[in-house]
Each structure stands twice: as structure tokens, then as C-alpha cells.
Amino acid sequence: MMEFMRAFPDDAACLDWLFRQRHSEDGSHAFCPKCDRERKFHRVKDRPAYDCDTCGYHLHPTAGTIFHKSPTSLQLWFYAMYLMASTRCGISAKQLERELGVTYKTAWRMFNLIRNEVMADDTEGPLSGSVEADETWHGGKLRESDKRRIAREGGGPRNGPHVKKRETVFAVVERGGRVVAMHVPSRYGHTLRKNLLQHVEPGATVYTDDYVGYNGIDFTYTHHRINHSGRIYADGHVHTQTIEGFFSLFKNGVRGVYHSVSAKWLQGYLNEYTWRYNRRDNGRAMFLDLIEASASRAR
Ligand SMILES: [Zn+2]
């Protein structure tokens, strides 16, 4: 908190940071599109802009970012990202509402914009090396009565009439590396394979369980499967414990902090957990990474 206030004591400091990050190495010279050359710029009084000393052209450091024209102050946006980066398991909109003194609706909207716009598409390039792939349900647990009904109707644990009620999350993780997690429309094999091909480099070693949906990837990858339906969970290096670890982190987090997440916002929460997982050894840089992404992922 003190650390944050020293770096960003007010809105002007945040705007200046964005100006330097996006337009000006030294905080005073920037490229002026009207003069078509580098010029000296000054902060415009009472406006979130800088103007060219020569021609008066206005540069808006927030243009294209999630902060642009937001009624919420820039410092509160930065502080929201600081809080998100400082907690290990996330922070709820309710907590943000209290911390920032904004309405619940505003806190909720800020969080979703940060999750959906800033934390999206986190990995650069496909995963490679030793990669585990798995899919999981998101949504309520099946009741015993549902399980019996599904069994009666001939459905297995992965197909059957309950499939529509729950969402599917598919994820791939490099052992000791990055994770990519996505909300997918179904757990049909073609959906899983399509996403696997999109996020994992051909030639990688891929570990999955024995679900039939992973049939047919052996042409592209060195494929090892663990026989989960035979109640075997690890056989030497053949296991999917890394990805299961990520799933349980996500599920515990959602249960503990957010209570429930609807299908509409699921990808945003996956983005947040992915973001944190991919920086797990890098605690101090997380906030800087986040504000840098907010500046560079301008729309
Ligand atoms: Zn100019």
C-alpha cells in the first residue's frame, strides 16, 4: 500500500506514467503527428492530455485503453490492479467496493474489464516441451440422484443429459511453465483437439487421461495417456497432476473468493488465474506487468 502510494500518489502521477509508457521515454518529448516530428509536450491544465509546445496538438495517454473516458479516477484503476496483483487467490468486487469506496456496480465493471481486456491472451506463442492437457466441469456438483438418473439413461460421466447444465473448461500446461485455460463450448473431441492444436506446438509431448476425446492427436504429438478410468493416477512421468493442480487452484479460488461464476464471466476468471499462475515465481513484477499490459493492449 505505501509502496503503491509512493509510486502513484495521485491521478497526475498515473497519467504521467501512461504518457511515458506509451508516448515519451523522458516524460517530455513525444512524436507529434501534426508536426510529423518529435516535439516537446506539456501537461494540459485540468485535462487528461498533453499538448505539443509547437502546434498545440493534444495527446491523450488513455486513448484506446480501458481507462479512457472512465468516470472512475485513474488512480483508482491503478489501485484496483495493484490489489488484484497483490493477492494470491484473488479479490472480490465486494472487497474492491470497500477498499476503493466505489459502488459495487463500478467495482464489478472494473474487475471484468481488467480480466477480459488486460489479462486476456497472456501467453506468447504456443506451449512446447512436456505438456499436460485436461478438461473439467465448471458449475455445480452433480447430486447423487442426478448421477443415478444419468447412469439409468445410459450417459457416462462425460456425456449425458447433464452436459448442458455445466460449462467445460479446457486447459493445457507446460510442466514447470505456462498455462492456457479456456472456456469451450463442449467437451467433444473435435473441440478439445482444435484448441490443443491451436495452443501446443506440433512435436510436443502431450499427457492426457484416457478420455476418447483425445484420440487422434498421436499424429501430431508424442502422446502418453494415463488410465484414470482404471483408477491409476500416475505412472512414472505419465500423469496429469500439474493441470489438475491448476484446476483445483482455480476451483478453490472461485469457491472461496467469488462463490460462483456464471458462464458469461467464466473466461475472465480463467484469465485472472492464468495470469497469476504464469507469474507465480515473480510476485513483485505482477503489478508492473499488469499496468504495462493495460497500456500496451489498447484497443
Ligand atoms: Zn505539434
Side-chain angles (χ1 to χ4, degrees):
M1 172 69 193
M2 291 305 289
E3 181 192 22
F4 175 83
M5 289 307 288
R6 260 197 302 274
F8 300 105
D10 50 30
D11 285 347
C14 299
L15 193 74
D16 190 57
W17 186 89
L18 276 179
F19 179 58
R20 287 166 183 266
Q21 186 71 18
R22 303 187 69 197
H23 302 287
S24 173
E25 293 254 323
D26 64 357
S28 78
H29 293 81
F31 182 80
C32 174
K34 206 170 155 194
C35 297
D36 198 26
R37 69 179 61 193
E38 192 171 85
R39 294 290 196 198
K40 210 166 160 49
F41 276 73
H42 274 99
R43 173 71 201 269
V44 182
K45 200 171 178 292
D46 300 327
R47 296 197 64 181
Y50 293 76
D51 66 350
C52 170
D53 275 12
T54 310
C55 74
Y57 178 84
H58 277 201
L59 259 180
H60 293 267
T62 59
T65 69
I66 57 170
F67 322 119
H68 197 48
K69 296 186 173 163
S70 167
T72 307
S73 84
L74 203 50
Q75 196 197 18
L76 285 184
W77 274 107
F78 275 46
Y79 190 53
M81 290 190 284
Y82 176 76
L83 290 174
M84 280 175 106
S86 324
T87 62
R88 213 172 60 83
C89 25
I91 175 166
S92 69
K94 197 79 204 155
Q95 287 166 278
L96 188 67
E97 176 193 5
R98 278 195 298 265
E99 287 274 349
L100 301 192
V102 296
T103 66
Y104 182 77
K105 205 177 141 192
T106 299
W108 169 249
R109 199 180 147 270
M110 289 169 82
F111 265 178
N112 281 312
L113 274 168
I114 294 168
R115 285 191 189 106
N116 293 315
E117 303 282 339
V118 183
M119 290 173 159
D121 305 324
D122 186 31
T123 43
E124 278 162 17
L127 307 191
S128 59
S130 291
V131 174
E132 296 175 23
D134 199 8
E135 81 296 335
T136 187
W137 296 119
H138 173 81
K141 273 204 169 68
L142 282 186
R143 288 189 303 256
E144 279 307 313
S145 60
D146 287 330
K147 285 185 193 162
R148 282 197 296 275
R149 178 177 53 79
I150 289 157
R152 261 201 320 276
E153 290 164 2
R158 274 161 158 141
N159 53 57
H162 62 291
V163 167
K164 283 192 183 67
K165 286 191 291 190
R166 301 204 285 173
E167 304 300 324
T168 303
V169 171
F170 174 67
V172 283
V173 64
E174 287 168 341
R175 287 186 180 164
R178 304 162 293 164
V179 70
V180 180
M182 64 218 90
H183 177 199
V184 291
S186 81
R187 63 174 52 196
Y188 289 123
H190 64 85
T191 303
L192 304 186
R193 289 192 297 273
K194 190 185 87 185
N195 283 290
L196 191 69
L197 285 166
Q198 194 182 333
H199 294 286
V200 181
E201 213 167 72
T205 302
V206 175
Y207 299 89
T208 67
D209 61 18
D210 49 354
Y211 175 43
V212 293
Y214 298 111
N215 288 355
I217 65 165
D218 311 41
F219 302 106
T220 318
Y221 305 107
T222 305
H223 185 198
H224 297 283
R225 353 181 50 145
I226 188 79
N227 183 13
H228 278 178
S229 45
R231 300 202 174 277
I232 296 166
Y233 295 98
D235 182 5
H237 65 103
V238 183
H239 63 80
T240 53
Q241 284 162 351
T242 318
I243 197 65
E244 285 157 32
F246 174 78
F247 283 150
S248 80
L249 221 102
F250 176 70
K251 288 179 179 190
N252 287 333
V254 165
R255 217 176 2 253
V257 182
Y258 312 110
H259 308 301
S260 71
V261 171
S262 70
K264 190 176 173 194
W265 306 112
L266 182 55
Q267 187 60 53
Y269 286 87
L270 287 169
N271 292 348
E272 182 183 348
Y273 275 82
T274 300
W275 181 277
R276 215 172 266 129
Y277 184 91
N278 290 343
R279 286 160 187 76
R280 61 198 178 281
D281 302 322
N282 196 3
R284 270 189 64 81
M286 223 179 275
F287 170 56
L288 270 177
D289 257 20
L290 197 50
I291 50 175
E292 275 170 16
S294 78
S296 68
R297 289 176 191 188
R299 289 161 287 179

